Amino acid sequence: MDPVALVFYAAICAILSLFAPQLGGRVTRLAVGAGVGVLAAAVLPLLRTTLLGG
């Protein structure tokens, strides 16, 4: 995994973990985590292109 992706996903996971206890039960946390993961994976290429030029 390249360093940009590693740092990006680490930051997303860290931010999500701050809110995890307030999200409810296991199923809710799992659904939110999956949704955030999909969103993060979709946004990373756009951010990389915008900020780093490819």
Side-chain angles (χ1 to χ4, degrees):
M1 181 177 274
D2 68 288
V4 173
L6 185 62
V7 169
F8 179 74
Y9 290 118
I12 295 297
C13 290
I15 291 167
L16 182 59
S17 73
L18 293 174
F19 299 100
Q22 292 88 8
L23 293 177
R26 283 187 224 178
V27 174
T28 303
R29 288 194 312 264
L30 179 63
V32 169
V36 169
V38 168
L39 183 63
V43 169
L44 180 58
L46 176 64
L47 284 176
R48 180 177 292 206
T49 301
T50 302
L51 299 176
L52 301 177

